[in-house]
Every structure is written in C-alpha cells, then in structure tokens.
Amino acid sequence: MEFLNTALSGIKVIAADSSFLPLVGIDIGELVITWANTLILFFIFKKLLFGRVEKVLDKRNAIEKERLLNAEKAEKEALAIKQEYEESLASAKSEADEIVKTSVSKSNKLAEEIVANAKQKADYIEKQAYAKIEMEKQKALEDLQEQISELIVYASSKVLEREVGEDDNKRLIEELLVSSQKEK
Amino acid sequence: MFSIVSMNSTIEVNGPRIYHTFDIFGFKFNLTETIVVQWVVILLILFIILYLTKNLKVDADTKRQAIAEKIVITFQNLIKNTMDERYSPLRVYIATIFSFSMISSLMPMIGLRAPTTNLMVTLGWALLTFIMIFINKIRTGGIKGYVASLFQPFPVMLPLNIIGDIAVPVALSLRHFANLVAGLIISQLIAFGLGALSSAVGLPFELFRIGIPAILSLYFDIFSAVMQAFVFCMLTMVYIYNADLSAD
C-alpha cells in the first residue's frame, strides 16, 4: 500500500492519527459489517420492494392474460353466433320460399277447385233447368194430347149423331177445330 | 492520514474517522464513519422503498407506484439483457448492490463521507462477486470441471489462471474505491485551491469556495457515483455469466 500512500500524498506524509483509519488498509470489522449491512439491505429489497411490486405485477399480468383469453373467447362466441345467425337466416329464407311456393300452389289448387265447383253447380242448375223445361213441355204435350183426344171423342160423337158426306165430315172437323180454338 | 502541505496550509485526506473502538474478546472492532454512514444509507433506502411501495394496487394510479414498478422492471430487464432468464434470482442482489453503492457514493452531497471511499466496503462487495463466480463455476461444471478449467488451455497455465481468478475481486474493488477516493481528493484539492485563490486575490474570506465546488461535484460525485455503481454491477453480472462452464 506504500506506493498508493506516496502517490496520493503528493508532498508529504504525516504520521497516522489514531482517530482515523488509514486511507488504504485492511479492517476485518468493517468488512464483516459491510456484509451484514448488504444482507440487511438485500432483505429490504427482497421483501419490501421486489416481493411486493412483483406480486402486483404478476397479478396484473394474470388479469391481463385472463382479459385477453376472455376477449378471444368472446370473439369466438360472437363468430359462432354470427354463423348460427347466418345459417338460421338462410334456412328461414328457404323456409319462406317453400311457404310461398306451397301457398301459391295451394291457392292455385283452391281456385281451380272453386272454379270446378262453380262449373259443376252451374252445370247442375242448367241441367235442372233443362229438365224442368222438358217436363213442362211434356206436360204441355200431355195436356194437348188429352185435349185432342177429348176433341176427337167429341168430334166422333158428333159424326155418329149425323150421317154426312165426306166433304161434310171434313168441313165439320174444320169447324170443330175452329170452335175448339175459340173455346180455348 | 495523508497531508498535502503547501506554503501555509494543509489538506488532509484521511481514512474514515473512528468513533469508538470496542474490544470484543481481544478483537479490536472499530465503529467508523463508514459503518455509521452505511446505516444512514440503509435507513434512507428503507424510507424511499416504504414510501414508493405504500398502497400498492393492481390498478396503479399513483406516480409513486409507477416509479417502484419502473425500478423493479428495470432490474428484471437488466438481468435478462446482460445475462439470461436463468439468472433472474440475481436481480434483487444486483439492485441491492447498485442502490447501496450509488446512494453511498452520493453521501458527500449531504456532507457525509462516502462509505465507498473505504476499500473494505468495495472489497466486501467484490468478494461477494468472487464467491458467486466460484459458486456458478461449481454449479455448472462440478468440482471436477472447475479444477479442469484451471488447467485450460495448458497445464502450465495453472498459476496464471489462479492469479486471474483472484485478480477479479481485487480489480473490481480497487477500481470502485480508487475512483471514489480520486473524486474525494479532487474535491478537496479544488476547495483548497479555490480558498487559496480567494486569499491570493485579496478577498477577506474564501468567497470562491461558495457554490463553485458544488457545480464541480456534479461531475465528481453524481456522475462517478452512478457510473461506478453501474460499472460494478455490469462487471459482476458479466463475470458471473461468463463463469458458466457448461457453455464451453
């Protein structure tokens, strides 16, 4: 250490004062106390600074991780919901198409049926009307025949009452026809 | 005590003042300025830490907590970048040494003698580094690997390897100590010189000693305090990291 002393002193080295340690020297007591102090400070740093702050940092990291995971999960869920929605939309569209189709065909069928029914009914009514007309006609004819036969009976009785010639007969019948018409 | 004697005044550069000497079973224990100032430093750091870590919350909203987190993360990253993840348990030790060294060296700012101007302090830390280097060598290479590494690359190199190992704590401690002592001596020389200049100019009192030394101490105290603490920690980390025998 002498070279250091000489180098530092510059001009003159005075004998060491007893109340000071030498500038460069070995003192085991100071060395041990330095170690002890360093150990104390180490535990202060470990317990009070690093222990506490790192706990908070870890907690925050965990929370952030969880948040990130949650966000990812939410995104996935949203995507799934979107897909589901799209699928249901597509199926709803096809369903609607089908409904429209079936309803159109149904209504067409119904309309056809209605028309057919109406036709049938009309036919029926027509037929009935014809039948009635025919019946009336028949009745009229029957009436006519009845009257004609009555007339013939009447005419023949008249013929039998008198002996007349052919011309007379003819005239008589004609007269009868006229009179019967007048009667009518 | 060293004295620089000029024409009519003396500068004294001493070791730490001894307050009391205890005699413990024949062992002389000196309660020195160094030890007391170390306690002051520890208390100061304790108060700073307690202040910074008051009311820590997960949802941080105070500047205090931001600073505390910044300090912790800085040391985590320092270890990660200088060494690697495996050495992350060292972060607390590095933070301790860095803070202890830096705040100790800054003590002249409040008029106390820096404990780092005592070789025993820096030697103590350097010996801790030396022990850690040794432990890392044994841990990674085993005792066999460590002994074998002393004979690398040739058996003739054994004495040089041993000297090289021992040189690490010596160099570390002397570098740190000498830088701080140099600062101390230069500060005193400047104060002395400015006092002499004041009287030479004819001022009734030493006017130049007011203010000017404070500006100069910005470099000699603050800059070298931070620098030396950083250098010491960096070298400690690099030495321990390079002591990984399994990497070869």
Side-chain angles (χ1 to χ4, degrees):
Chain A
M1 304 298 169
E2 198 53 45
F3 73 97
L4 264 173
N5 286 355
T6 322
L8 291 167
S9 66
I11 297 167
K12 193 176 168 191
V13 179
I14 296 172
D17 193 323
S18 63
S19 65
F20 289 98
L21 277 182
L23 186 59
V24 183
I26 300 292
D27 188 290
I28 301 300
E30 278 191 319
L31 187 72
V32 171
I33 292 290
T34 299
W35 278 341
N37 285 344
T38 307
L39 194 70
I40 291 166
L41 199 63
F42 177 81
F43 280 108
I44 290 173
F45 267 87
K46 195 178 168 68
K47 294 284 164 202
L48 298 181
L49 183 67
F50 279 81
R52 283 154 84 176
V53 172
E54 280 176 350
K55 207 167 149 193
V56 168
L57 287 177
D58 286 349
K59 253 187 208 165
R60 188 180 305 150
N61 281 346
I63 287 172
E64 246 153 55
K65 228 180 208 172
E66 208 184 299
R67 265 187 204 157
L68 215 71
L69 269 173
N70 281 346
E72 256 171 48
K73 223 166 127 190
E75 208 187 324
K76 259 184 204 168
E77 273 175 4
L79 274 176
I81 287 169
K82 199 185 163 194
Q83 207 175 347
E84 212 171 275
Y85 163 77
E86 271 169 4
E87 269 170 22
S88 68
L89 200 72
S91 74
K93 224 176 183 176
S94 70
E95 229 166 82
D97 278 353
E98 210 167 297
I99 288 168
V100 167
K101 237 188 224 168
T102 55
S103 61
V104 164
S105 68
K106 245 183 195 170
S107 60
N108 278 349
K109 221 171 159 186
L110 203 68
E112 271 168 27
E113 251 171 48
I114 289 166
V115 168
N117 272 350
K119 223 175 181 176
Q120 222 174 351
K121 240 181 191 170
D123 280 354
Y124 175 70
I125 290 166
E126 208 185 350
K127 255 184 203 165
Q128 256 190 343
Y130 274 125
K132 219 176 178 180
I133 291 165
E134 203 68 29
M135 234 166 65
E136 296 281 327
K137 218 173 160 182
Q138 206 74 30
K139 216 179 167 184
L141 269 173
E142 270 168 24
D143 279 352
L144 199 65
Q145 267 172 357
E146 213 173 291
Q147 277 176 9
I148 286 170
S149 60
E150 265 174 32
L151 202 64
I152 287 169
V153 170
Y154 176 71
S156 26
S157 67
K158 282 284 175 173
V159 169
L160 286 171
E161 268 174 30
R162 267 163 70 173
E163 210 63 52
V164 281
E166 212 177 319
D167 290 344
D168 280 343
N169 278 352
K170 212 180 175 180
R171 196 178 32 94
L172 198 65
I173 286 167
E174 276 172 6
E175 266 179 14
L176 276 173
L177 279 174
V178 169
S179 69
S180 74
Q181 252 178 2
K182 264 184 194 166
E183 265 177 52
K184 268 195 177 178
Chain B
M1 183 178 77
F2 306 96
S3 305
I4 300 168
V5 184
S6 73
M7 286 165 290
N8 48 14
S9 56
T10 312
I11 314 172
E12 293 177 353
V13 181
N14 301 302
R17 184 185 294 278
I18 300 168
Y19 293 124
H20 198 273
T21 303
F22 298 94
D23 199 324
I24 307 166
F25 304 116
F27 174 76
K28 271 194 176 171
F29 173 73
N30 296 316
L31 181 65
T32 59
E33 213 176 348
T34 304
I35 294 168
V36 176
V37 177
Q38 276 186 354
W39 291 339
V40 173
V41 170
I42 288 174
L43 280 178
L44 193 68
I45 292 176
L46 178 65
F47 283 130
I48 292 171
I49 286 178
L50 284 178
Y51 174 72
L52 289 179
T53 59
K54 207 166 87 182
N55 273 333
L56 287 180
K57 281 182 215 147
V58 176
D59 302 318
D61 53 357
T62 57
K63 258 185 201 170
R64 271 206 316 254
Q65 185 173 346
I67 293 169
E69 282 174 12
K70 184 74 190 161
I71 292 169
V72 169
I73 291 169
T74 301
F75 280 104
Q76 285 176 344
N77 288 340
L78 190 65
I79 292 285
K80 251 184 241 164
N81 297 336
T82 316
M83 306 166 88
D84 59 47
E85 292 275 1
R86 290 172 300 152
Y87 293 95
S88 68
L90 268 179
R91 70 196 184 284
V92 184
Y93 175 71
I94 296 296
T96 307
I97 292 296
F98 181 80
S99 313
F100 205 177
S101 165
M102 192 183 77
I103 306 287
S104 293
S105 305
L106 287 175
M107 280 297 114
M109 305 288 295
I110 56 171
L112 296 173
R113 185 195 171 90
T116 38
T117 55
N118 185 336
L119 182 59
M120 284 305 103
V121 175
T122 56
L123 184 64
W125 296 338
L127 284 175
L128 289 177
T129 301
F130 176 71
I131 291 166
M132 284 184 191
I133 292 169
F134 183 72
I135 288 172
N136 201 27
K137 276 184 176 169
I138 298 288
R139 194 177 63 87
T140 53
I143 293 170
K144 235 184 188 175
Y146 174 64
V147 173
S149 77
L150 289 176
F151 292 96
Q152 296 292 333
F154 316 109
V156 193
M157 298 293 278
L158 174 66
L160 276 179
N161 279 333
I162 291 172
I163 291 170
D165 278 3
I166 293 170
V168 167
V170 174
L172 264 181
S173 57
L174 279 179
R175 176 185 301 111
H176 197 346
F177 161 75
N179 267 287
L180 269 295
V181 168
L184 179 78
I185 293 170
I186 289 169
S187 295
Q188 293 202 8
L189 276 175
I190 287 167
F192 173 77
L194 287 170
L197 189 67
S198 304
S199 52
V201 170
L203 291 165
F205 56 96
E206 297 175 332
L207 184 70
F208 292 143
R209 285 187 75 166
I210 303 169
I212 297 173
I215 296 164
L216 290 166
S217 85
L218 278 181
Y219 174 80
F220 292 113
D221 290 333
I222 299 179
F223 178 73
S224 72
V226 178
M227 206 57 216
Q228 288 307 315
F230 185 68
V231 165
F232 191 91
C233 289
M234 283 307 281
L235 286 174
T236 294
M237 285 188 286
V238 169
Y239 279 138
I240 293 174
Y241 186 58
N242 286 343
D244 189 344
L245 292 178
S246 65
D248 304 331

